[in-house]
Amino acid sequence: VASFFDLFFLFGDRGSSGMNLNILRPFRFLKLLRTLRVLRSVKIFTKLTVLVNAVLASFMALFWSIFLLTIVMLMASLFLCQSLSSALADEAIAWETRVWIFERYGTSSRAFYTVFEFTFSGGWPNYARKLVEEVSPAYALFFFCFIISVNFAMFKIVSALFLRDTLAVANSNAELAVQEKTKQKEHYASKLMDFFQAADTSNDGCLSLAELDTILANEKVRTWLSIMEVDVHDTEHLFKILDDGDGIVTADEFVEGILRLKGEARSSDVLRIMHYCQ
């Protein structure tokens, strides 16, 4: 589409017609769409992509939330406009107060804008105190119910809906899930390498059974491994699992072996053991 407009401008400028094409120049911003497609492939903009997709997926929820909120604010503004109409003619109320009421609640449009202001600005006491103190204390009940039901309840529900949609979009994004899984694995492997270097007291790049037994004798190390979802009861048995038969465990063997041992046994692991036993 952007290329079409470029060609149109090119041939239009060279033409003899007097048509003003400047009004179409704002449409050239469509070129930015091509830039946005490029940004999707950049890793640093992955979170932005998820956010945009969440906003698009939540469009209908946003529309109905705004619709419902508008209906509630319209009902509240009509109630205030009708109930305060008699106060405008009440001479027992100060003239300045009646002017203030008319400026904010005198007509349905004024009342609706006022309700919109104290709903989203957070300054609702400025619009309520004068009505409660100089017109009727019953308006305190109205503002109490409105603020509790809209500002606290309805806004929280709408926020929860957007959060749910965002999490759903993030979980359905296969590319993001792979990146997060890879990132977690790399972080876990980095911690295991730190553990391996601390256990390798001989600094030869390999672990012996004695070195592994020494570091696993530390209760804090066992607790750390349990937090990392590695359950260690028998050091010799663990060493045999990690060892490939040469009597030592290298760094790669240690990391790969612990990653396989991490967590509970999967169904594929159980089936493989049953197959070997047969």
Side-chain angles (χ1 to χ4, degrees), residues 41-235:
S41 61
V42 182
K43 184 177 180 180
I44 194 175
F45 292 104
T46 304
K47 302 297 184 181
L48 178 60
T49 303
V50 174
L51 180 60
V52 172
N53 291 336
V55 171
L56 295 177
S58 306
F59 180 78
M60 290 305 299
L62 174 64
F63 171 78
W64 289 113
S65 299
I66 294 176
F67 178 79
L68 177 61
L69 191 58
T70 302
I71 294 298
V72 173
M73 291 191 300
L74 181 61
M75 294 173 60
S77 60
L78 292 177
F79 170 77
L80 290 172
C81 181
Q82 292 295 322
S83 63
L84 290 171
S85 59
S86 59
L88 296 175
D90 190 354
E91 296 183 356
I93 301 175
W95 170 257
E96 293 79 5
T97 303
R98 284 186 285 169
V99 172
W100 182 88
I101 293 174
F102 176 78
E103 290 176 348
R104 287 160 179 79
Y105 305 101
T107 62
S108 57
S109 58
R110 289 173 182 264
F112 182 80
Y113 183 74
T114 301
V115 172
F116 175 82
E117 276 190 337
F118 68 66
T119 300
F120 290 97
S121 67
W124 61 269
N126 298 327
Y127 300 91
R129 182 172 297 277
K130 186 168 290 190
L131 296 180
V132 174
E133 293 180 350
E134 301 188 27
V135 179
S136 173
Y139 285 101
L141 179 61
F142 166 80
F143 279 98
F144 175 81
C145 296
F146 184 87
I147 297 302
I148 292 296
S149 60
V150 176
N151 290 48
F152 287 96
M154 190 176 295
F155 282 178
K156 300 298 182 183
I157 294 174
V158 171
S159 300
L161 288 175
F162 278 104
L163 179 60
R164 184 199 63 181
D165 293 340
T166 302
L167 294 176
V169 171
N171 292 331
S172 63
N173 191 327
E175 181 180 354
L176 180 63
V178 171
Q179 291 180 1
E180 289 293 335
K181 197 69 176 180
T182 303
K183 185 178 179 181
Q184 292 177 3
K185 187 175 181 179
E186 292 175 352
H187 180 68
Y188 188 81
S190 175
K191 289 186 175 181
L192 290 177
M193 285 300 300
D194 294 337
F195 175 84
F196 181 87
Q197 293 173 1
D200 184 18
T201 56
S202 60
N203 296 323
D204 58 354
C206 300
L207 279 183
S208 64
L209 177 59
E211 289 176 330
L212 185 60
D213 185 65
T214 300
I215 194 169
L216 289 181
N218 190 327
E219 189 63 30
K220 291 183 178 180
V221 173
R222 288 180 174 270
T223 303
W224 179 79
L225 287 175
S226 65
I227 294 175
M228 301 290 286
E229 299 183 17
V230 177
D231 193 9
V232 179
H233 294 291
D234 189 347
T235 304

Side-chain angles (χ1 to χ4, degrees), residues 32-43 45:
L32 294 176
L33 296 178
R34 288 183 293 185
T35 304
L36 293 178
R37 285 186 296 178
V38 174
L39 293 180
R40 292 181 58 184
S41 61
V42 182
K43 184 177 180 180
F45 292 104

